[in-house]
């Protein structure tokens, strides 16, 4: 979806789409990253901390209520105010009764021109988690996490059967002609690779529309544990994507492409180093 | 390349192609996995251990000589006899003077119908390494390693600027119509993702041709650190692929997509576990 300046309107649109998805048979609904507002990190502005709320709080309560009202699991992405001076980019999973099934705080926080997230978001301290729900064991990673195979691996090894990536990524218009297609391809390739390497379903949920200097590129998709794209959205239109994910496929894929069987866990110690220049 | 039953003919063809590549300006040449013979692992047959040789040995000496004669770095892939009962699937990097710059023993060893490698190959014990040469710091992983993000990450963190993947992967003809395209796409996607996640060049070097129950699918490719494919071979023809890799691009990509900066090395301990069901 796209977002405007009116937070209530954004939230109302999200709630309506949750209802619409539920009516179309959805069991699990994932909203885009920070769906309640325009993407707040294009500049470093202390006033934007006012967008944040504790969790639970009014915004998360509205999504919890929508989950309960429509009997769907909902993954919402919020600007969380944890205490004075500690804010997170946080995803919350609400079960069908509106209760909080679990939460994830964005672990990998970017900092690039127009994506000044390190200014706003304290790095997550909950690790990579699988969140059990009445509709399956879910993993949530957030946007920048999608570029890190470690995040997907640890979430899958924790038991998640579907990895959700609420996202806000777009083109800088001046770069779009030269690099736009390559950027989108890299983005999709990384998440498809997480599906393949881990034998899980992956759902990427991105924003659309222009906001100041960014054109969010949409192209949300859901892929199966072989990385085959099941459904994919346009780059410039709001859409509610639906796909049926047969979780029994996971074991079939993992026994036919038995990567988890063959990991060399005796040889991975270097993964918790920055660089191996001391060897 | 394809391989026949005559090992000398296979080796001679490889040597000719090294010469041809060098004449076309190649600095680095990578041969396919186990280029000296047909793929030996379609069944479990003790007689096939006779294909193996120590390194250095006659086969590796011929490749070392070709490297020296044509002043190119060559990556050769050999069935290594290390001692009685310990055999490896080993890649050796020869520098332009024919000396051994380094070697890598396949760490992830598959075992699937028609790929019975666990019968033949003792898992590698040299870890994931960067091999300095006069033409750059190279990483070599071998075939099944390509499905493991950990292998690419550790090799890149060791300093490798180009990851080479000597490979022998193909279709089971009965599955090709239904799954063939998806299998090739997954294979290419994984290695492109290694390029993207690590900001390195990747070169995948696969076999072609029919051997018993397998149709090797070729489609060797070289991609840049954004995962853009620079050159790609056909699925059914022998080809010598050449691409120019500007190693200065690596730092540009890694500072514009600064994934290595943001890895959460404080949170990756679980990567050396099989599964995180005890958390």
């Amino acid at each position: 979806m796209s977002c405007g300046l009116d937070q209530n309107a954004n939230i109302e649109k999200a709630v309506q789409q949750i209802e619409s998805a539920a009516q179309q048979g959805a069991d699990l609904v994932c909203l885009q990253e920070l769906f309640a507002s325009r993407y707040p990190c294009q500049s470093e502005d202390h006033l934007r901390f006012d967008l944040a709320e504790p969790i639970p709080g009014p915004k998360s309560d509205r999504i919890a209520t929508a989950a309960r009202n429509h009997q769907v699991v909902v993954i919402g992405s919020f600007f969380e105010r944890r205490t004075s001076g500690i804010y997170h980019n946080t995803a919350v999973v609400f079960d069908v009764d509106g209760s909080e099934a679990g939460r994830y705080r964005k672990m990998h926080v970017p900092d690039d021109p127009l994506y000044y997230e390190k200014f706003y978001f304290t790095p997550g301290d909950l690790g990579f988690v699988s969140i059990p729900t009445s509709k399956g064991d879910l993993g949530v990673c957030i946007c920048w996490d999608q570029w890190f195979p470690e995040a997907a691996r640890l979430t899958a090894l924790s038991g998640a059967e579907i990895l959700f990536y609420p996202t806000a990524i777009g083109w800088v218009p001046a770069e779009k002609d030269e690099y736009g297609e390559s950027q989108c391809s890299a983005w999709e390739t990384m998440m498809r690779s997480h599906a393949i390497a881990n034998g899980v379903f992956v759902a990427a949920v991105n924003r659309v529309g222009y906001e100041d200097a960014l054109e969010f590129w949409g192209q949300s998709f859901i892929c199966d544990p072989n990385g085959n794209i099941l459904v994919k959205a346009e780059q410039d239109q709001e859409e509610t994507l639906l796909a049926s994910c047969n979780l029994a496929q996971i074991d079939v894929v993992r026994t036919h492409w038995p990567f988890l069987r063959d990991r060399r866990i005796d040889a991975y110690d270097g993964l918790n180093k920055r660089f191996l220049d001391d060897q």
Side-chain angles (χ1 to χ4, degrees), chain A:
Chain A
M1 56 180 266
S2 63
C3 285
L5 292 168
D6 180 341
Q7 289 192 75
N8 272 320
N10 297 327
I11 297 168
E12 187 56 34
K13 179 159 64 177
V15 167
Q16 286 172 359
Q17 292 304 308
I18 291 168
E19 178 178 3
S20 166
Q23 287 171 345
Q24 294 173 74
D27 290 312
L28 304 156
V29 179
C30 182
L31 303 174
Q32 70 185 44
E33 186 181 15
L34 302 173
F35 70 95
S37 71
R38 284 161 57 109
Y39 178 68
C41 310
Q42 289 200 44
S43 62
E44 301 195 354
D45 180 350
H46 288 91
L47 293 178
R48 298 213 183 126
F49 286 103
D50 292 344
L51 292 168
E53 290 180 356
I55 300 172
K59 289 172 189 162
S60 70
D61 284 348
R62 288 189 64 184
I63 301 305
T65 300
R68 186 178 65 246
N69 285 348
H70 304 294
Q71 294 289 297
V72 288
V73 171
V74 181
I75 299 149
S77 164
F78 303 96
F79 190 171
E80 178 188 11
R81 182 185 191 282
R82 189 170 174 187
T83 189
S84 301
I86 299 185
Y87 293 74
H88 292 287
N89 187 327
T90 301
V92 182
V93 179
F94 301 102
D95 214 326
V96 297
D97 61 358
S99 65
E100 179 176 328
R103 75 173 68 177
Y104 168 78
R105 292 187 177 122
K106 190 172 186 170
M107 291 286 284
H108 298 98
V109 179
D111 196 287
D112 276 312
L114 304 177
Y115 299 89
Y116 299 102
E117 295 196 20
K118 288 193 198 296
F119 173 75
Y120 294 99
F121 305 129
T122 304
D125 59 347
L126 298 176
F128 304 96
V129 292
S130 175
I131 298 173
T133 75
S134 59
K135 302 294 188 182
D137 293 335
L138 314 183
V140 188
C141 294
I142 302 175
C143 203
W144 195 237
D145 290 320
Q146 60 212 183
W147 301 96
F148 297 83
E150 294 91 342
R153 180 71 96 203
L154 287 165
T155 306
L157 290 181
S158 297
E161 299 167 293
I162 310 177
L163 305 187
F164 290 92
Y165 286 92
T167 298
I169 192 168
W171 295 296
V172 179
E175 293 180 355
K176 184 179 173 185
D177 279 353
E178 186 168 0
Y179 300 111
E181 188 176 330
S182 169
Q183 290 169 347
C184 288
S185 176
W187 176 77
E188 184 180 286
T189 296
M190 282 309 307
M191 285 183 282
R192 288 180 58 221
S193 82
H194 302 329
I196 297 162
N198 296 289
V200 293
F201 291 87
V202 167
V205 185
N206 192 23
R207 170 183 300 244
V208 294
Y210 290 87
E211 298 179 17
D212 297 327
L214 288 174
E215 179 185 358
F216 294 97
W217 72 45
Q219 302 179 69
S220 300
F221 69 89
I222 304 171
C223 73
D224 75 12
N226 285 314
N228 299 305
I229 290 183
L230 302 172
V231 286
K232 182 173 175 179
E234 298 296 326
Q235 65 178 57
D236 54 1
Q237 295 171 39
E238 297 189 328
E239 289 180 59
T240 297
L241 282 184
L242 283 108
S244 179
C245 299
N246 176 6
L247 299 182
Q249 193 182 345
I250 292 171
D251 195 54
V252 175
V253 169
R254 287 185 181 174
T255 51
H256 284 71
W257 295 87
F259 310 135
L260 296 188
R261 181 194 67 189
D262 287 343
R263 295 177 65 243
R264 286 294 303 270
I265 58 172
D266 60 309
Y268 292 166
D269 277 352
L271 293 171
N272 57 19
K273 303 289 186 192
R274 285 271 169 245
F275 193 58
L276 301 171
D277 44 1
D278 54 346
Q279 290 191 327

